[in-house]
Amino acid sequence: MSSTPLHDPLAEPVSGAKTETYTTTCYMCACRCGIRVHLRDGEVRYIDGNPAHPLNKGVICAKGSSGIMKQYSPARLAQPLLRKPGAERGAGDFEAISWEQAFALLAERLGKIRATDPKKFALFTGRDQMQALTGLFARQFGTPNYAAHGGFCSVNMAAGMIYTIGGSFWEFGGPDLERARMFIMIGTAEDHHSNPLKIAIAKFKRNGGKFISINPVRTGYSAIADEWVPIKPGTDGALLLALIHEIIAMGLYDREFLARYTNAGELVNLDAVHDEFGMFVRSEVPKEEGCFDPQNKLWWDRVSDRPVITHAEGADPYLFGEFKLADGTPVKPAFQLLQERVRDYTPDWAAEITGIPAATIHRLAYEMGVTARDQKVVLPISWTDSWGKEHDTVTGNPVAFHAMRGLAAHSNGFHTIRALAILMSLLGTIDRPGGFRHKAPFPRPIPPCAKTPDTPLAIRPNTPLDGMPLGWPAEPDDLFVHEDGSPVRIDKAFSWEHPLAVHGLMHNVITNAWRGDPYPIDTLLIFMANMAWNSTMNTVEVRKMLNDKDAQGAHKIPFLVVCDAFESEMTSFADLILPDTTYLERYDVMSMLDRPISEFDGPVDAIRVPIFPPKGECKPFQEVLVELGSRLKLPAFVKKDGTRKFRDYPDFIVNYETEPGSGIGFLSGWRGKNGEKSLSGEPNPRQLEMYAANNCIHHYELPLSYQYMRNWNKGYLEWSQRNRITRYADPIQIHLYSEVLQSFRLAAQGKGISRKPPEHLRKRVETFFDPLPFYYEPLESQATDRHKYPLAAITQRPMAMYHSWDSQNAWLRQIHAHNYLFVNPGTAKAAGIADGGWMWIESQWGKVRCMCRYSEAVEPETVWTWNAIGKSAGAWNLAPNANESQLGFLLNPVISEELPASNGGTQSNSDPITGQAAWFDVRVRIYPVKPGEPEQTSPQFEPMKPYPGTRPFLGDWLAYFAGSKK
Amino acid sequence: MRPAFSVIFLTTLIGAGQGLFLALYTGQLYAFFDLLPAQDSRSYYAAGSVLALAFLCAGLIASFFHLGHPERAWRAAAQWRASWLSREVIALPAFMGMVLLYGCAHWFCWHAPLFELPGGRAVDPTLILGALATLLGFALFGCTAMVYASLRFLQEWHTPLTVINYTLLGGASGFVLAAAFSALAAPQLSGFHAGWAMILTLLALAGRTASLLRNARLKPKSSVRTAIGIKHPRIAQIAQGAMGGSFNTREFFHGRSTAFMRAIKPAFLILAFFVPLALLAGGMTAPFLLPVAFILQYAGLLAERWFFFAEANHPQNHYYRKVS
Amino acid sequence: MTQLALVIDLNVCVGCSACVTSCKEWNTSGAAGPLSDCNPYDANPTGTFFNRVQTFEVGEFPQTETVHFPKSCLHCEDPPCVPVCPTGASYKRKEDGIVLVDYDRCIGCKYCSWACPYGARELDEKQKVMKKCTLCVDRIYSTTLPEADRRPSCVMACPPGARLFGDIHDPDSVVSGYTLMPEWGTQPANHYLPRRKTTITIHEDQLVRADNPLKIDGKLPKPSRQQPTLDDVTSW
Ligand SMILES: Nc1nc2c(c(=O)[nH]1)N[C@H]1C(S)=C(S)[C@@H](COP(=O)(O)OP(=O)(O)OC[C@H]3O[C@@H](n4cnc5c(=O)[nH]c(N)nc54)[C@H](O)[C@@H]3O)O[C@H]1N2
Ligand SMILES: Nc1nc2c(c(=O)[nH]1)N[C@H]1C(S)=C(S)[C@@H](COP(=O)(O)OP(=O)(O)OC[C@H]3O[C@@H](n4cnc5c(=O)[nH]c(N)nc54)[C@H](O)[C@@H]3O)O[C@H]1N2
Ligand code: SF4
Ligand code: SF4
Ligand code: SF4
Ligand code: SF4
Ligand code: SF4
Ligand SMILES: [Mo]
């Protein structure tokens, strides 16, 4: 229709430009996809998914595609900054200093702390992926006060499942949607497994599987579910227990699987006066050295009708019944106890609580049970189980589940997740095709072997901590407490308040440190966490705490160091800001020692490589730690003579070994002198190059016979032991019934010889450490007048935003410039709130003014919003009148980090077992604004100012074009 | 649609210019047939042509403000075979050229007869040029109107009434202008022009009312159901993927309240039709009212044109209802 | 005759917007670039995008369907945006049916955008020319990219593979999808695939079964009395 175009659409826009392509690993979120970064004349032309990467297979998400705008963001920090003398914290008055000054200042301050009381230094990290290094640094420093984001993120998920099946969702395992016929996704919005899950769900749907989403809200993945089951927040425990009830009542469980691979048939001591009450009875097999439950429990054999050692040749346990041992001890199989536990958890009972019709619950149970039983996947893969029995096939019951923070972020989440893991086990779906599959280094013994010290004596001046700062308690004696049972750690993790707080309780650190409870600290180093904003509960008060002073005018938290890459809300409260690089400017390691990116078929770890030099004076935090470690002469970082051991972080990655000569380092690929070894082997000086040449990953594919049933797969377990992934090769029986929990309950009941909880926590420990899952209303709910605050308020991850990171991203912020509170139209109209109108959302802790959006895709007793879109004015170098701070809002000011405790004090607003932050427990009410109220979010904070070295963006226009202009 | 002032001024100014020319030429024809007294070529026809050209030029200038790349405006003539806009782009300068020639012919008194009509009336170049300009003037009305009327998605515009109304409204405002001009330059003609202006204004009122009634009863052909291809009685947009606005939210929504929309309708009807009618009637005896009539009618037409654009519902709007 | 197009499978689109920003990053530095952004760090940020993902809710709670709806230029077979263009800057390529804008010819009159019923065109407010999805014409025919990468950026990015690309006139490419606003006869080349629902039917006998494991432990399955029966809904 037209003559030759003047503008040739096919011509290279820049002729003769120099183009380069690098592969590395994305870090626009925690998913860690493989990417290709394409440069034109030295600038990013585009970033796309690496087709050769096992995780994302070439696809990329909205965030990953916007990496350019992160790299060139005007919100990036550029120099170390020191708070100006006399300036208030939060006011953002800084002066630039040199790195030498920063290091000198830190080395002096930290050196003094280390020489006197190392626990006065606390290191807490947010959404980072380098806990291998930060954890090592803390331990070497000698402080117990270290944790990463897990406690405020999804520790319930990790702990609830690992304490039950030895593995978990999160980065540790997932649903095998390749083979599943039915997929039930519970409380998941976007997840750490973002792209892979999207790929898998689509494939699953196209293969005709049925996808069910259980969620109060229908967005994102749930949008394409075949069935949406709206549920009231915090009530999934009731639903799952009712499903278990139905599955057992109808005989829809996989009996063979339960008998052989779980503790269903193991006999529990029911002699109420016995010190071992509620523990498994054991035969006289000598107790093995170590942390792992030995295979010395008993079954009541159906064949011989007498107790036998489990898995005795030819034996088959009764799963139901009531028996008496020869010495008169009454015993029952664990499964019998489970059945008794769920007896009253009927669908009708659950319908009341969850809002899901009983008929739906029945149907869901039947669909799961029948699909698992009748659509078996049988793979011709032979393997040998831990008891030497050879199997010709691997059988799968193709019902897969996935769950995340919708279950985890409630104070009853641990038991809910235990119930889920048990349901999955009843259906016989653990590490089997079409069910749940582990990812190396999981499965691990229940609980995993790593332990914290159990005494404050482990903390000594100028000495590394004697034990790990984080670990997996197996019994009360593993707790990290004082003689009197009081906490050793600043966050009170591993204390009687939160015994299984395996990821720490980051959300309480600031409050505890401010209050000096259990003790004041000196220096708090926060890395990659926006604790003055979105990762803190009670944001308004916490911001005050950060700047609060004692009678002498000294800050209650004396020294605050923040390492960030951007002008976040947190940085404004820092005394010292350490400017970090971006993911395109540094080496990073997704290590087997932390959370690798393993696949179902074997371990995978990965690195990031720098594509650009650091911006300005930015320095990778890892370099900072290596430097500080060397200056402080932490043993792992210096040679015998006290001189520096590692030139820099790459040198550290390659040459660090967990113990001299252990052959285990941060990376598992291309080890050995010439890179010929995998998993372990001596350091290889060319290791990073080899990774870089291989798409920055090392993928070790297990032989097929090691890929399934890994909890009990002799070949796999021995392989894993040989390669030092685990210390033990014993089978990992599923804990339907948890002895670990019972051991804490016994202590609370005053039984046995272990440590006992302090009086005021006895009742709590006794109640919550139930060896079988039970349902209770979330703690905050129990402490709320439900008539006054009738609604649940929750948040969701938007797919195109990562927490608070992306408001500085010119492209992503156009998609989510501000947020609304989504309310069911019925609920909103009843409250007199218009669609698009201004309103208040109020809890007993605080209130926020925001805008309302009607939505039919939310359960009527729930309101929700996208997480962390709202920003403080001026933060992230946005204009003070930007939508994010004027129209957008953060829900966190209505969430409290503490609840009233039974002793009149306070306790963390967390799961009483794991210390998981109970983000989604808050109860609220909503009402319209009064006429004349400003159309602006409340609360508002003093606008932040641009820092030295950060340039505000000039002009109204951004017209990004890579390389020299046309 | 969001009314663009460049286009509002373009269409109303050239409409008045076209109408004025037609009024002048009608006057000349009447005079030709001795129905009206003849007027001076220079002080009346040439001056009137200059006035018409002034309006046309102003319209043309306004149109440049609508373009992202006015320096490339010449390219717009390329697609006359397919595009009404291209045709308008050709018709406007062509008409202006012809009016210029017509004005020149009068100024330079090209009255040498070219031929004679059977009745013995001598036809001079001004008459021929005027006839050609008249054709072009009507063509221009057609092109301008068809720019809008040809967009079948904009159902409010996609009707012959658009062409009729552009012509009548332009004609009416031109004749009112002519009446005012004549009041100064040729008082004998002002009554004639005022009379025709009243007739045209009445016709335009009828045409515009017809289109208002039609549009009020329009059934949109598209709905959110056809827009996304899902047949369900209850579909609500939640998000459009851009919260700070986009070209689609800026270009296709007038952004005014329904109250404003409701108020502007009687406002332009009164201003563009009833007030000028009254003033024209008064102008018969008090000629000083005629310029006032033009000014007020023109203001009314600006409002009318604003409403014309604003009233049109673009089907793309089904995709741009809500953000979140 | 070839007609290249996208087919968008709403059955698997999760509304992630990967197609939105991957399109932006490819095209801002490509033949159509830069794609300008206004107020990038200020109030009401807004910019030129070729593709946006919208969200609609269908039905009422609890029978709600949330539909994510990506939309870019549909490369109509009878594109109303082309003939209206006064300069010829809008054109449809004969060889593959892609509708393009000739940026050096465009005068930025916006008329074509009025003529598109779908809102698929966006004026670049800085460059002042009309822009729209090019179907990544500068990728799919690129001679410098590896063969496998010669696909639209959004198609390569889309995690669930909801965006399919090909010649819809090729009889081997099954396009069973529907088109948008068929009432205008624009014959959009891009098609949409609808949502599908998988259900499971369970029969009563499947719940009882002779080999019910409860029997092994000497129990019997509980008759499922809670299940609805005819008694609940009829009375003879
Ligand atoms: N794009 C993007 N991806 C991310 C992140 C991000 O910020 N952006 N963050 C990453 C991080 S750190 C994490 S921890 C993961 C989190 O991944 P998810 O756990 O998927 O994240 P949330 O958005 O917290 O999702 C919680 C979901 O649970 C639902 N829900 C809330 N309460 C309940 C309940 O009681 N029962 C049920 N059944 N559902 C409930 C909510 O509606 C929501 O859909 O995502 C990671 N991935
Ligand atoms: N209401 C509510 N609150 C929540 C949640 C919720 O669901 N609802 N979810 C919680 C969960 S699961 C999590 S994990 C937390 C996450 O909370 P955080 O980990 O605190 O939050 P992020 O926004 O990820 O930001 C951390 C900081 O990292 C910085 N950063 C980004 N890239 C880099 C880098 O390369 N180097 C350095 N040094 N810094 C960088 C950012 O600028 C930002 O300041 O939020 C929690 N908060
Ligand atoms: S999912 Fe995360 S890691 Fe993967 S491409 Fe997106 S932002 Fe990058
Ligand atoms: S990338 Fe794919 S799944 Fe994501 S919004 Fe676009 S079409 Fe939908
Ligand atoms: S979708 Fe719009 S812009 Fe694209 S070809 Fe069709 S009419 Fe033209
Ligand atoms: S804006 Fe450009 S492409 Fe569109 S009609 Fe005008 S000249 Fe043609
Ligand atoms: S085909 Fe290319 S230009 Fe069109 S929407 Fe996809 S990425 Fe954008
Ligand atoms: Mo998290």
Side-chain angles (χ1 to χ4, degrees), chain A residues 127 149-150 152-154 170 192 404-405 797 802-803:
Chain A
R127 267 285 10 154
H149 69 280
F152 62 44
C153 182
S154 215
W170 214 347
H192 299 286
M404 266 300 284
R405 298 185 59 256
R797 305 279 181 272
Y802 198 64
H803 295 288

Side-chain angles (χ1 to χ4, degrees), chain B residues 171-302:
Chain B
S173 64
F175 271 81
V176 179
L177 180 56
F181 171 67
S182 299
L184 289 173
Q188 317 95 295
L189 287 195
S190 76
F192 164 77
H193 281 138
W196 271 113
M198 285 171 74
I199 294 168
L200 287 171
T201 300
L202 277 168
L203 286 174
L205 173 62
R208 196 62 180 101
T209 310
S211 81
L212 284 178
L213 290 175
R214 168 186 179 271
N215 291 353
R217 255 179 286 144
L218 265 185
K219 266 220 192 72
K221 246 183 157 177
S222 296
S223 65
V224 67
R225 279 171 284 286
T226 64
I228 66 170
I230 294 175
K231 288 174 195 63
H232 194 286
R234 197 208 170 276
I235 302 178
Q237 185 169 36
I238 284 288
Q240 53 181 254
M243 298 189 69
S246 61
F247 174 71
N248 306 80
T249 58
R250 288 188 293 271
E251 184 72 5
F252 299 91
F253 292 88
H254 53 75
R256 296 304 167 114
S257 63
T258 32
F260 181 87
M261 289 300 278
R262 222 174 289 135
I264 193 150
K265 215 186 313 184
F268 85 68
L269 285 176
I270 291 168
L271 216 52
F273 300 108
F274 298 112
V275 172
L277 278 173
L279 291 173
L280 285 168
M284 296 285 187
T285 49
F288 70 91
L289 289 177
L290 294 173
V292 183
F294 174 72
I295 290 166
L296 291 181
Q297 183 176 52
Y298 186 73
L301 286 181
L302 289 179

Side-chain angles (χ1 to χ4, degrees), chain A residues 820 822 825 835-836 852-857, chain B residues 224-225 227-228 233-242 246 248-249 253 315-324, chain C residues 52-59 64-71 118:
Chain A
Y820 288 77
F822 291 93
D835 190 15
C852 173
R853 177 61 72 228
Y854 285 8
S855 167
E856 294 285 353
Chain B
V224 67
R225 279 171 284 286
I228 66 170
R234 197 208 170 276
I235 302 178
Q237 185 169 36
I238 284 288
Q240 53 181 254
S246 61
N248 306 80
T249 58
F253 292 88
Q316 76 111 38
N317 295 5
H318 290 297
Y319 299 105
Y320 299 92
R321 297 283 184 213
K322 263 181 208 166
V323 296
S324 71
Chain C
R52 315 248 188 193
V53 179
Q54 315 190 319
T55 307
F56 294 85
E57 286 178 0
V58 179
T64 318
E65 293 285 335
T66 302
V67 178
H68 298 297
F69 187 82
K71 177 168 68 70
Y118 307 104

Side-chain angles (χ1 to χ4, degrees), chain B residues 1-2 66-69 72-73 75-79 82-86 146-148 150-155 157 221-224 226-230 232 234-242 244-248 250-252 309 314-316 318-320, chain C residues 10 20 44-47 52-60 63 67 69 71 78 80 83-88 102-111 113-123 125 127-130 178-186:
Chain B
M1 303 289 295
R2 192 196 55 156
H66 190 65
L67 300 186
H69 282 276
R72 296 182 190 161
R75 290 192 178 279
Q79 295 299 311
S83 167
W84 283 106
L85 181 51
S86 198
M146 281 307 286
V147 165
Y148 309 104
S150 68
L151 296 174
R152 58 203 154 104
F153 318 112
L154 285 150
Q155 288 171 265
W157 299 349
K221 246 183 157 177
S222 296
S223 65
V224 67
T226 64
I228 66 170
I230 294 175
H232 194 286
R234 197 208 170 276
I235 302 178
Q237 185 169 36
I238 284 288
Q240 53 181 254
S246 61
F247 174 71
N248 306 80
R250 288 188 293 271
E251 184 72 5
F252 299 91
F309 287 104
H314 201 288
Q316 76 111 38
H318 290 297
Y319 299 105
Y320 299 92
Chain C
L10 298 183
V20 174
N44 297 327
T46 176
R52 315 248 188 193
V53 179
Q54 315 190 319
T55 307
F56 294 85
E57 286 178 0
V58 179
E60 272 165 44
Q63 258 73 51
V67 178
F69 187 82
K71 177 168 68 70
D78 186 2
V84 300
C85 173
T87 61
D102 183 345
Y103 308 112
D104 291 340
R105 214 183 275 269
C106 173
I107 55 172
C109 67
K110 309 182 211 169
Y111 191 38
S113 71
W114 293 12
C116 167
Y118 307 104
R121 295 183 163 235
E122 299 194 9
L123 185 87
E125 312 259 13
Q127 296 200 330
K128 302 286 184 197
V129 292
M130 194 52 72
Y178 62 87
T179 59
L180 306 182
M181 295 189 186
E183 62 273 22
W184 300 118
T186 53

